[in-house]
């Protein structure tokens, strides 16, 4: 490829970073890093001041950091093409708009909102269902194409309100090759004369986006499908400026499991966290979310599934991104989470478990004890917080017994548990280990001539309160004799 790849993630700080936005960032990052000296740029598109949300920019940065996506240029990292916040680039947009006006590709429009409404009404009445400010209508409106030059001059001097519009050609096919969608074609007759500069002097998204992509030497624009309809306007702008447009790639939509686009409302209904912030707060493994999002619309073309960020950079190409929508399968995400959680050495996660425990006021005893408890449950949980729920019995006596499990507490359970208790009570603290605890159970079932489960289940309920969980004998060894005997007594009191 000629020159080095430069891509940008260009979020508007109008809210917290949506998981779909994070996928767009990720695909840009993977694409950049796949090309060895590729640059990943963060540009903040904050020209719509009315929708600005305090803290949104920081949230974007925190989210990228959490995922391990290093940014090469941004408002915070600097770079040769700054400033990287659009609100700090106003001058530049004004200069460029001026050039378009001079070259006849844009014009001043002085129409008031009332006049625009009247125009739309008039056209609707005459049978046009979607009236536009276009090549035809502009001829009867108040703009620098219809008004005499001196009047335009006067209006500008007087400080009359105006917008600058792009002079969209009347009949033209606008074509480009999308790297994912292939050949794309739009007709200019369906387009409005796009406002480029608003009456408050701020550029619109379209103008700022094109000027910046050009000025920042962006080689590839990779963004969500929802921006595909903006692409023809951008192509017209590139042409008007006489610039070469970057390559474009529009990513497939993220779909809800119940069908349709994964909107905020749908996600909430289906229990899918929608903002990256929530994944951080809910203690997901960042590697899992990254791996999952990479596969949400892309695959390497074999059946491998688990890849680190570095491996994904190696593997990622745009030609393997799908055109069709990608369904957000939350179970799959949990599966990924499980894979990454299990791989982590217990030393790396103990701090996080302790933090959650502190928040919940759970006493996790000594680090040694907690580590062993983690090792016992880790194979059975998908998320770090489940270590404390599934393993709660390591830290607290069961307050109540799981209802479903209780169905397994039968008439003879009391007698069996009581016999078992008598047997293990006699063990010294040193002898209280998994192997011995298991052989004691075998003695009791042999004596009563019953199956393994007849004692195992009631025992598990008594010790853990639950019907399933980690190896019971090792768990009892960790809990220690005093705790186990006392829990057996409590259960016998309550249940037998
Ligand atoms: N500011 C737009 C957004 O919020 C950028 C779209 C684009 O990448 O062109 O996603």
């Amino acid at each position: 490829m000629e020159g080095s790849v430069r891509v940008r993630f260009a979020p508007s700080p109008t809210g917290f970073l949506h998981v779909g936005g994070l996928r767009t960032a990720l695909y840009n990052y993977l694409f950049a890093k796949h090309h060895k000296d590729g640059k990943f740029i963060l540009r903040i598109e904050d020209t719509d001041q009315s929708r600005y949300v305090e803290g949104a920019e920081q949230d974007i940065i925190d989210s990228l950091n959490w995922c391990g996506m290093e940014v090469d240029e941004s408002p915070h990292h600097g770079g040769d093409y700054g400033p990287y916040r659009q609100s700090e680039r106003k001058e530049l947009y004004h200069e460029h708009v001026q050039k378009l006006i001079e070259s006849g590709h844009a014009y001043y429009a002085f129409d008031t909102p009332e006049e625009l409404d009247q125009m739309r009404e008039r056209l609707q009445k005459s049978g046009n269902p979607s009236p536009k400010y276009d090549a035809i209508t502009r001829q009867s409106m108040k703009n620098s194409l219809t008004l005499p030059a001196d009047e335009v001059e006067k209006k500008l001097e007087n400080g009359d309100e105006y917008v600058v519009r792009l002079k969209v050609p009347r009949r033209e096919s606008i074509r480009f090759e999308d790297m994912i969608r292939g050949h794309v074609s739009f007709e200019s007759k369906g387009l409005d004369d796009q406002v480029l500069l608003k009456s408050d002097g701020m550029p619109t998204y379209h103008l700022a986006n094109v000027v910046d992509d050009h000025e920042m030497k962006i080689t590839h624009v990779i963004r969500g499908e929802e921006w595909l309809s903006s692409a023809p306007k951008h192509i017209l702008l590139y042409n008007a400026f006489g610039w070469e447009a970057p390559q474009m790639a529009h990513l497939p939509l993220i779909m809800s499991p119940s069908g349709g686009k994964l909107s905020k409302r749908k996600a909430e209904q289906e229990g899918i966290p929608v903002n990256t912030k929530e994944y951080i707060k809910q203690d997901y493994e960042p590697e899992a979310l990254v791996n999952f999002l990479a596969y949400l619309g892309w695959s390497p073309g074999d059946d491998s599934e688990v890849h680190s960020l570095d491996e994904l950079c190696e593997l990622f190409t745009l030609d393997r991104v799908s055109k069709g929508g990608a369904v957000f399968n939350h179970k799959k995400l949990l599966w990924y989470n499980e894979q990454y959680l299990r791989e982590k050495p217990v030393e790396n996660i103990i701090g996080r478990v302790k933090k959650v425990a502190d928040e919940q006021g759970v006493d996790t005893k000594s680090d040694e004890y907690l580590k062993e408890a983690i090792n016992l449950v880790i194979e059975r949980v998908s998320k770090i917080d489940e270590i404390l729920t599934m393993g709660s019995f390591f830290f607290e006596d069961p307050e109540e017994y799981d209802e479903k499990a209780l169905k397994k507490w039968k008439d003879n359970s009391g007698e069996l548990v009581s016999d078992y208790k008598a047997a293990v009570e006699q063990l010294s603290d040193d002898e209280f280990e998994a192997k011995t605890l298991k052989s004691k159970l075998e003695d009791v079932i042999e004596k009563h001539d019953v199956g393994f489960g007849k004692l195992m289940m009631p025992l598990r309920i008594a010790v853990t309160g639950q019907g399933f969980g980690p190896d019971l004998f090792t768990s009892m060894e960790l809990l220690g004799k005093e705790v186990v005997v006392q829990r057996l007594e409590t259960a016998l009191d309550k249940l037998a």
Side-chain angles (χ1 to χ4, degrees), residues 396-413:
E396 281 156 355
D397 293 335
E399 264 177 35
E400 51 202 50
Y401 302 106
D402 179 75
E403 248 173 69
K404 244 184 39 234
L406 273 186
K407 294 201 179 109
K408 299 272 164 73
W409 186 282
K410 297 280 157 58
D411 287 346
N412 63 349
S413 298

Side-chain angles (χ1 to χ4, degrees), residues 408-409 413 416-417 420 437-438 441-442 444-445 450-464 466-474 476 488:
K408 299 272 164 73
W409 186 282
S413 298
L416 293 167
V417 170
Y420 185 74
L437 293 167
K438 187 170 178 204
L441 178 132
E442 282 157 359
V444 176
I445 60 171
V450 293
F452 196 80
K454 288 279 182 293
L455 174 51
M456 189 66 177
M457 198 37 121
L459 207 52
R460 185 179 283 288
I461 296 168
V463 176
T464 72
Q466 298 161 4
F468 58 91
D471 180 74
L472 186 59
F473 303 109
T474 327
M476 289 199 289
L488 296 182

Side-chain angles (χ1 to χ4, degrees), residues 8-14 24 43-45 86 205 209 213 221-224 226-227 234:
R8 78 323 188 256
F9 176 48
S12 302
T14 54
T24 300
R43 181 173 74 224
I44 302 294
E45 300 211 324
Q86 290 187 327
Y205 153 70
N209 191 268
D213 282 346
V221 166
I222 304 169
R223 61 185 171 197
E226 64 274 29
W227 300 102
H234 298 177

Side-chain angles (χ1 to χ4, degrees), residues 81-128:
Y81 301 89
Y84 292 90
R85 255 184 227 109
Q86 290 187 327
S87 57
E88 295 164 19
R89 299 169 66 82
K90 262 161 81 179
E91 299 269 303
L92 191 74
Y93 308 128
H94 282 252
E95 279 165 31
H96 280 87
V97 141
Q98 209 51 49
K99 283 186 194 155
L100 287 183
I101 294 173
E102 280 159 22
S103 66
H105 290 100
Y107 60 91
Y108 297 104
F110 301 96
D111 317 276
T112 62
E114 294 75 35
E115 285 164 340
L116 291 172
D117 284 345
Q118 281 162 12
M119 176 267 278
R120 289 194 197 101
E121 243 171 68
R122 200 171 61 239
L123 288 176
Q124 258 160 355
K125 268 196 196 133
S126 64
N128 182 346

